[in-house]
Amino acid sequence: MAEKAKILIIGAGKCGRALVELFSKIEKITIIGVVDFNQDAPGIKLAKALNIPTAVDYREFMNRAGLSCIFNSTGKAQIEEELMLSKPAGVEVLGGCSVNLIQELIEEREKVEQQLKGLAERRDNVVDNIGVGAIPINPKMETPDFNKQIKKDEDLGKKDKIIESIIQNSAVATFVINSQHKVLYWNVACEELTGTKAKDLLGTSDHWKAFYSYQRPCVADIVIDNSFVDLDKFYKVYQGSTLIPNGLHAEDWYPKLGGRDRYIVFDAAPIYDTEGKLIAAIETLQDITERKKAEDELKKAYTRLKEMQNQVIQAEKLNTIGQLASGVAHEVRNPLGIILQGVNYLENKIPVKEGDISETLTMLKDSVKRADKIINTLLDFSRFTNLDLRPEDINSILESSLSLVKIKFESKNIDIIPEIKKDVPKVLADRNKLEQVFVNIFLNAIQAMPEGGNITIRSYGKKLEGIENGTSRREEGYFMIGEKVVVVEIEDTGVGIPEENLKKVFEPFFTTKGSTGGVGLGLSVTKNIIHMHRGIIYAESRFGQGAKVTVILKIAE
Amino acid sequence: MDRKRILVIDDEENFTKLIKWNLEKTGKYEIRVENSGLLGFSATKEFKPHLILLDISMPDMDGSEVAFQLKCDEDTKDIPIVFLTAVAKKEEVEANSGIIGGHPFIAKPVELEQLIDVIERNVY
Ligand SMILES: Nc1ncnc2c1ncn2[C@@H]1O[C@H](COP(=O)(O)OP(=O)(O)O)[C@@H](O)[C@H]1O
Ligand SMILES: [Mg+2]
């Protein structure tokens, strides 16, 4: 068997506890630890009961060999960022919404399992010798033996009316097969979901036709045969039921099921007779297509965001080399300039070119040029020479940046207020780089509002009237008064930036988030990208009342 | 013909000294040198140069700041400025047709011949 996947769960609240419960039952997964500063948290209690190690600080588990995935159920973005930066290479960090989604799925399944159990109990009261799973059996009442019934097709009509109506009227798509894999029940919800009629299936073993184009087992068949090997062949996602012994859970995509693509969750449970003999299996089907799609979208956005964070770090490394290179360039080229002027001076001083003197001067000049070339190569390494500039719609860039950080603000209490002008002129921009800019600005705004708040996004075109507050002289040179520009403002209602820091926030490694893992690179990269676009960026704030970041960009002619 | 007045503002004293010698030797220019942005700025009003050679990175007041101040002043706003810098690449200068922030631009180290060429194209 393949090696077990080792996971770490951070946060042991309601969601963390659900994760512990879920993963502790999956054979292929080992929980190496559960972490919460509150050692009375429900997940910690459960972990202790299950003999899973617990701790107050996740660092205790971080460098365990074989750790493959960390679930952050704390919902705290700061912890997530801290994890992203400190995790060993190759370890996945799942957090925020992906974890919430898992919990939602668990709750949803519990509901269905409750329903199933309720169904079983009700049936148990009316039918004496049929039990679902481990439910005890009452031997007094008349026995509708499924196998006997099925042996004679004409007996089908005499199936117990009560069971039939319970199954038939359930809103959950449900079918039942007997131990010979013949269909006993196929309810209305099931007809609706699969588009296959009960009358075409009852008494046959053709139920696979409702789902597949070739003959293969459904989860109910697997439960009947009690053959839980090779399930990988049939399902990408499956696991033993967490509620019913010998039950099975699976899920998958089904193209064109009942007329459209659906993501279906299957649950099957065995049904035993009085002697404990397996006589049938019940299978329920749930269409969770919409949720699955939303989940996939989120996962995609999450992956993009992670990529982006890596890019930021990468860009900053280049940027540091860049600053080093310009420092070296300055220090070396100035003396080179003096030498070259000195050589020029001597050339003019010696009107009659004497052989060896003029040869010496040429050697000096060649050497200056060689040194200069080396500096040039160094600068080459450091410059983002490959901006991919195209005319772009700033609103669509804002929109896609926003969707990348959606996960972050949706879990907090943050409202987005768009004040976007429709007919903003196109800007000349590198789309990916600008997305990085706005993602950084949005993340900062979100982090500045731990208790929630508003982010107002404005975009508009205007004629540049004068020098904007807080721009540097260098930026001043990028524009002419009267030039048409596009302005983007992102304003939050967070903690704000004290006056003395308004310029500093753009310096590399300036951060006030030391304790929560801020590295202070976001805005310095952001400013660099804006300068590469020959644009302006500055911050304004009244401390305690939120901050506003303004970006001014050239329009595409 | 009158010699053109050129103001050289650069904090590298050896550089400005040699530039002064070299340019004056041509007989076409009258050179004044200042080794700080601040002094260069105040010298402009009294020297009334036909052109300013302006280093970008200087400790007290950097070249772009000086240029900005000059642009704000009615008396000096029309004086052509040629930036000098050690940190731009030659290709970048060319890619911008030798213009950054609205001003022509020379990367150090520069040959006398090229320097004179740029001055001649911008002085009036
Ligand atoms: N919207 C904002 N509200 C308040 N402070 C901010 C905001 N954006 C940036 N800052 C301040 O600027 C600093 C630097 O930001 P940044 O460069 O993105 O690095 P980091 O977010 O890693 O700290 C932050 O630590 C914070 O103090
Ligand atoms: Mg940041």
Side-chain angles (χ1 to χ4, degrees):
Chain A
M1 203 174 121
E3 209 189 319
K4 290 187 173 191
K6 293 190 178 135
I7 66 164
L8 173 63
I9 295 171
I10 301 179
K14 191 166 168 249
C15 180
R17 186 189 184 281
L19 290 174
V20 176
E21 192 180 356
L22 172 69
F23 290 124
S24 62
K25 285 180 186 143
I26 300 177
E27 212 182 309
K28 294 195 168 166
I29 291 180
T30 308
I31 305 175
I32 62 161
V34 181
V35 179
D36 201 308
F37 60 84
N38 171 11
Q39 285 292 299
D40 289 326
I44 294 284
K45 283 187 182 152
L46 178 63
K48 283 183 175 154
L50 293 169
N51 276 331
I52 297 169
T54 63
V56 182
D57 187 338
Y58 65 81
R59 271 165 284 227
E60 261 181 50
F61 298 108
M62 270 307 248
N63 291 311
R64 289 290 169 83
L67 177 62
S68 61
C69 188
I70 301 171
F71 287 84
N72 171 22
S73 77
T74 60
K76 289 188 186 127
Q78 287 148 357
I79 292 195
E80 196 144 327
E81 280 188 10
E82 208 172 287
L83 286 169
M84 296 303 299
L85 290 165
S86 62
K87 75 183 174 78
V91 175
E92 286 285 321
V93 177
L94 285 175
C97 281
S98 11
V99 166
N100 287 344
L101 262 162
I102 292 177
Q103 195 198 350
E104 234 179 74
L105 285 172
I106 293 170
E107 280 170 4
E108 201 61 32
R109 267 203 36 222
E110 272 166 7
K111 261 191 245 155
V112 173
E113 273 160 8
Q114 284 301 313
Q115 277 177 10
L116 263 175
K117 213 164 126 191
L119 194 71
E121 272 160 9
R122 269 186 288 157
R123 184 174 2 184
D124 203 38
N125 289 336
V126 283
V127 185
D128 57 344
N129 70 337
I130 297 175
V132 172
I135 293 166
I137 289 153
N138 165 6
K140 262 176 258 152
M141 283 172 71
E142 199 200 326
T143 25
D145 182 321
F146 286 171
N147 288 322
K148 268 187 218 149
Q149 276 180 341
I150 251 343
K151 272 175 216 137
K152 293 179 186 168
D153 265 12
E154 62 270 27
D155 284 349
L156 270 172
K158 291 189 210 149
K159 272 185 309 193
D160 188 277
K161 285 292 171 224
I162 302 171
I163 303 177
E164 174 154 3
S165 95
I166 291 171
I167 294 177
Q168 205 55 21
N169 295 325
S170 165
V172 181
T174 307
F175 70 91
V176 179
I177 59 172
N178 72 0
S179 59
Q180 321 304 194
H181 303 275
K182 296 267 190 307
V183 179
L184 295 178
Y185 298 102
W186 188 271
N187 76 358
V188 182
C190 200
E191 287 184 332
E192 173 74 25
L193 182 73
T194 61
T196 307
K197 292 284 172 217
K199 66 173 170 40
D200 297 331
L201 296 180
L202 289 177
T204 75
S205 294
D206 291 344
H207 47 291
W208 56 269
K209 287 185 179 163
F211 309 98
Y212 310 104
S213 56
Y214 62 98
Q215 186 162 8
R216 50 153 281 186
C218 298
V219 280
D221 298 298
I222 294 166
V223 164
I224 291 283
D225 294 337
N226 201 17
S227 63
F228 293 92
V229 286
D230 280 347
L231 287 183
D232 291 321
K233 263 200 326 223
F234 299 125
Y235 298 100
K236 271 201 219 82
V237 183
Y238 64 88
Q239 66 182 65
S241 167
T242 48
L243 192 66
I244 298 159
N246 298 324
L248 180 63
H249 168 96
E251 42 196 82
D252 215 338
W253 278 106
Y254 290 85
K256 302 277 163 305
L257 185 65
R260 60 187 175 86
D261 289 1
R262 294 173 198 263
Y263 192 80
I264 304 290
V265 173
F266 303 100
D267 282 280
I271 300 175
Y272 302 101
D273 72 4
T274 31
E275 276 95 50
K277 204 173 115 227
L278 181 72
I279 53 169
I282 181 166
E283 176 168 339
T284 58
L285 295 74
Q286 277 177 277
D287 181 349
I288 60 157
T289 313
E290 294 314 312
R291 200 188 315 156
K292 179 73 185 168
K293 277 188 185 155
E295 190 193 333
D296 286 353
E297 288 279 295
L298 275 174
K299 266 197 203 137
K300 250 188 256 158
Y302 191 79
T303 322
R304 268 298 310 277
L305 188 64
K306 277 209 292 197
E307 271 169 21
M308 222 25 109
Q309 275 169 333
N310 285 339
Q311 275 175 19
V312 170
I313 291 168
Q314 200 52 36
E316 188 51 37
K317 274 190 204 146
L318 284 178
N319 188 36
T320 313
I321 300 176
Q323 286 179 350
L324 199 72
S326 8
V328 172
H330 185 254
E331 290 311 313
V332 176
R333 273 185 166 159
N334 270 315
L336 289 181
I338 295 169
I339 296 171
L340 196 54
Q341 282 305 311
V343 172
N344 288 154
Y345 177 77
L346 290 177
E347 279 175 337
N348 290 334
K349 270 275 159 152
I350 306 161
V352 189
K353 297 267 187 304
E354 285 176 45
D356 51 352
I357 292 187
S358 106
E359 197 184 325
T360 308
L361 292 177
T362 311
M363 265 153 53
L364 279 173
K365 275 212 264 188
D366 287 350
S367 302
V368 166
K369 280 180 190 140
R370 213 169 77 206
D372 186 37
K373 221 165 150 182
I374 293 167
I375 300 290
N376 246 332
T377 328
L378 188 60
L379 284 173
D380 258 342
F381 268 113
S382 63
R383 303 278 159 106
F384 302 94
T385 34
N386 48 351
L387 264 196
D388 187 9
L389 293 176
R390 288 160 209 272
E392 297 279 1
D393 174 21
I394 194 73
N395 290 340
S396 115
I397 295 181
L398 279 168
E399 215 168 277
S400 50
S401 317
L402 200 58
S403 73
L404 286 168
V405 292
K406 209 167 152 191
I407 321 173
K408 302 260 177 187
F409 64 75
E410 276 186 347
S411 55
K412 306 241 169 96
N413 200 9
I414 293 175
D415 288 324
I416 303 294
I417 305 171
E419 290 179 10
I420 295 219
K421 288 263 162 41
K422 280 265 145 48
D423 48 355
V424 185
K426 295 217 154 150
V427 293
L428 201 57
D430 184 316
R431 191 180 179 95
N432 286 329
K433 295 245 156 56
L434 274 198
E435 276 180 10
Q436 208 171 311
V437 162
F438 294 123
V439 163
N440 280 336
I441 299 174
F442 286 140
L443 285 178
N444 282 339
I446 293 166
Q447 288 158 1
M449 300 187 288
E451 311 295 329
N454 298 333
I455 300 179
T456 309
I457 304 172
R458 291 185 203 94
S459 70
Y460 54 92
K462 75 161 186 183
K463 266 206 178 112
L464 204 63
E465 277 150 16
I467 312 114
E468 309 289 326
N469 254 349
T471 51
S472 69
R473 300 293 172 242
R474 172 194 301 270
E475 292 174 323
E476 188 54 36
Y478 291 155
F479 290 99
M480 287 182 303
I481 306 298
E483 186 174 337
K484 274 188 99 181
V485 294
V486 165
V487 183
V488 176
E489 296 171 7
I490 295 166
E491 189 168 1
D492 62 57
T493 56
V495 294
I497 305 169
E499 164 104 47
E500 67 268 24
N501 287 348
L502 281 175
K503 283 236 165 77
K504 281 197 209 143
V505 294
F506 294 102
E507 287 170 10
F509 305 112
F510 176 86
T511 178
T512 55
K513 302 172 196 162
S515 57
T516 53
V519 283
L521 297 180
L523 285 181
S524 97
V525 171
T526 296
K527 185 169 185 143
N528 260 311
I529 295 175
I530 294 298
H531 279 180
M532 275 157 39
H533 284 84
R534 299 165 64 68
I536 297 178
I537 181 166
Y538 56 92
E540 295 164 289
S541 172
R542 260 181 298 156
F543 194 43
Q545 295 184 25
K548 182 168 99 177
V549 177
T550 305
V551 174
I552 302 178
L553 292 167
K554 290 196 170 289
I555 63 167
E557 266 115 344
Chain B
M1 205 190 83
D2 261 1
R3 290 187 305 167
K4 300 279 186 198
R5 287 184 302 278
I6 310 276
L7 175 60
V8 185
I9 308 175
D10 190 318
D11 59 325
E12 287 281 346
E13 284 178 33
N14 290 333
F15 183 73
T16 50
K17 193 187 278 177
L18 283 162
I19 290 277
K20 183 173 159 73
W21 287 347
N22 282 339
L23 288 178
E24 284 189 338
K25 194 144 199 297
T26 63
K28 292 199 277 187
Y29 312 109
E30 179 189 347
I31 307 297
R32 169 155 176 181
V33 161
E34 291 297 343
N35 293 116
S36 101
L38 219 53
L39 293 176
F41 174 64
S42 39
T44 309
K45 290 205 149 184
E46 110 197 31
F47 185 58
K48 297 192 172 36
H50 295 95
L51 182 141
I52 300 173
L53 286 176
L54 181 55
D55 184 26
I56 290 188
S57 18
M58 286 182 292
D60 60 340
M61 184 182 190
D62 85 7
S64 39
E65 181 89 33
V66 174
F68 176 76
Q69 298 293 351
L70 292 174
K71 218 164 52 170
C72 292
D73 193 312
E74 198 53 36
D75 295 341
T76 55
K77 73 176 178 21
D78 295 325
I79 302 174
I81 294 171
V82 172
F83 276 130
L84 292 167
T85 178
V87 296
K89 304 200 322 166
K90 293 226 156 58
E91 297 87 84
E92 287 171 337
V93 178
E94 277 154 27
N96 288 294
S97 0
I99 295 195
I100 285 186
H103 299 290
F105 202 80
I106 294 175
K108 292 184 197 173
V110 58
E111 283 251 34
L112 183 59
E113 223 175 292
Q114 193 208 345
L115 183 65
I116 293 173
D117 182 57
V118 176
I119 292 175
E120 284 305 309
R121 273 194 282 119
N122 291 286
V123 81
Y124 58 87

